[in-house]
Amino acid sequence: VSTDANADNIIINDNFSNNSIITISDGQYLELVRCSAIAFEKVPQNIFEGKTISDGMYKVGYHIPAGEYKVTSNGNGYYCVYPNSLQQDIITNDNFTGSKYVSVSDGQYLELVRCTLVTE
């Protein structure tokens, strides 16, 4: 996402393997490579099979309930909690191996990379 057609002023630049959530405003430019975009309100709330979720970005209170979760790495894991889908102003994040705990609140966004979160 950038403010100009030449992408000289990048606002959001994301590489992801499953899904991501971004906010785009009028007048901004979106470039997609090897992916597609779906309006957030068209994505079902219950997109998970089973009790775990892995790589991707999830809205707390929409995809998962607020709470504290155990996150287990698949190699070198990474998680990040954002206050919104602008992917700025990180609340907390960590590169880790093994397991960690992360607390999330309604309205926050949780990004998981090379790790798994148990939902129950």
Side-chain angles (χ1 to χ4, degrees):
V1 178
S2 63
T3 60
D4 63 280
N6 295 322
D8 290 331
N9 187 20
I10 296 172
I11 300 168
I12 299 172
N13 185 23
D14 196 7
N15 294 296
F16 57 93
S17 61
N18 186 17
N19 70 299
S20 186
I21 302 170
I22 58 172
T23 296
I24 304 164
S25 299
D26 287 341
Q28 294 179 339
Y29 294 81
L30 173 65
E31 179 182 0
L32 300 172
V33 178
R34 295 184 307 275
C35 62
S36 60
I38 301 170
F40 184 82
E41 56 274 359
K42 293 187 178 185
V43 176
Q45 284 181 291
N46 188 6
I47 59 174
F48 309 109
E49 296 178 17
K51 299 177 182 177
T52 62
I53 58 173
S54 57
D55 290 14
M57 183 177 283
Y58 308 98
K59 185 174 183 180
V60 181
Y62 186 85
H63 296 118
I64 61 171
E68 182 177 73
Y69 294 96
K70 183 177 183 179
V71 183
T72 303
S73 69
N74 304 319
N76 293 317
Y78 173 77
Y79 70 83
C80 185
V81 179
Y82 295 104
N84 54 49
S85 59
L86 296 173
Q87 298 186 19
Q88 300 169 348
D89 303 322
I90 294 170
I91 294 170
T92 186
N93 68 341
D94 197 7
N95 289 292
F96 68 101
T97 57
S99 295
K100 294 285 241 178
Y101 285 88
V102 60
S103 294
V104 290
S105 302
D106 282 341
Q108 294 178 336
Y109 290 78
L110 174 63
E111 179 181 16
L112 302 173
V113 179
R114 296 177 307 277
C115 58
T116 303
L117 178 142
V118 178
T119 60
E120 292 183 356

